[in-house]
């Protein structure tokens, strides 16, 4: 039995499961609604299995509404991933910072073009 | 061949590989330095294999220094994970916000205890 964080990462290591999660980020949906976009490529049992992997990983939960049983995103596992990512923020923010610097330069250049009194750095 | 993001998540779905990455977050290290803490539990080839998985997933890179060949963290794959996480920020920030609220309450209570002129909410 893998540890919970390993189980979460393993669940996320599949494009179909990530697409299901992306759909659930927009709101609750039941299994047939979740399956609809994939039925050309795979069977309903295959999709049900993917949903079960997400459930076991604590990323998705089923409501207790007996008739409809919609799935929804469960936050805890995503928070565990976010917490884990925090320790690497210095690494993954590097390029965000570079993008930010670039955007600042661009907006600064726009400004100086529009206003010649502003001294260019 | 899985897509790059799936490969990254799969590489992160192992506590030894995450521990190797955590070590590399502190600075470059060569294979024997990385292996040292694990040699009681597993063989050097097993650890080398873990490092290769991290390399293939774009999380670790080896320097070209032919003598020493230290490994170091590669940022791109971590950034891809961070980008992917962004769309779920509203979910994983929920409890951070609650923690923040709690800490504000605690610090407010501390303040009001220390200063009786401040009206307690």
């Amino acid at each position: 039995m893998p540890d919970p964080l390993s189980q979460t990462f393993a669940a996320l290591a599949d494009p179909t499961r990530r697409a299901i999660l992306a759909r659930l980020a927009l709101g609750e949906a039941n299994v047939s609604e979740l399956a609809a976009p994939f039925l050309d490529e795979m069977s309903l049992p295959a999709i049900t299995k993917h949903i079960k992997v997400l459930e076991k990983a604590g990323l998705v939960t089923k409501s207790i509404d007996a008739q409809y049983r919609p799935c929804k995103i469960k936050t805890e596992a995503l928070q565990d991933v976010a917490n884990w990512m925090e320790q690497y923020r210095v690494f993954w923010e590097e390029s965000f910072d570079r993008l930010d610097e670039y955007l600042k330069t661009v907006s600064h250049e726009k400004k100086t073009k529009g206003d010649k009194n502003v001294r260019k750095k």
Side-chain angles (χ1 to χ4, degrees), chain A:
Chain A
M1 179 79 180
D3 63 286
L5 191 55
S6 296
Q7 210 168 359
T8 304
F9 278 128
L12 295 175
D14 181 276
T16 307
R17 290 197 289 267
R18 291 199 303 277
I20 291 171
L21 215 57
R23 167 60 191 84
L24 290 175
L26 306 174
E28 293 185 2
N30 66 15
V31 174
S32 46
E33 284 166 338
L34 288 175
F38 304 105
L39 289 175
D40 284 347
E41 306 152 49
M42 61 184 88
S43 67
L44 186 62
I47 297 158
T48 309
K49 209 175 156 188
H50 277 311
I51 297 171
K52 280 212 177 105
V53 173
L54 290 168
E55 274 187 271
K56 273 187 84 172
L59 287 160
V60 161
T61 184
K62 277 203 186 111
S63 304
I64 45 163
D65 179 340
Q67 291 288 304
Y68 182 64
R69 303 262 296 147
C71 300
K72 60 177 187 172
I73 282 192
K74 210 176 160 188
T75 54
E76 287 83 349
L78 279 172
Q79 281 153 3
D80 288 345
V81 173
N83 286 341
W84 181 86
M85 282 296 289
E86 270 306 301
Q87 66 187 307
Y88 300 98
R89 179 177 284 275
V90 62
F91 299 100
W92 53 262
E93 270 197 341
E94 225 176 62
S95 84
F96 291 161
D97 285 350
R98 258 177 282 159
L99 179 69
D100 199 44
E101 274 305 304
Y102 169 75
L103 292 173
K104 268 182 201 156
T105 315
V106 172
S107 92
H108 181 77
E109 276 173 5
K110 258 191 182 168
K111 216 175 156 189
T112 49
K113 269 181 193 164
D115 176 6
K116 286 184 179 171
N117 294 327
V118 177
R119 195 158 44 107
K120 207 168 175 179
K121 257 185 193 167

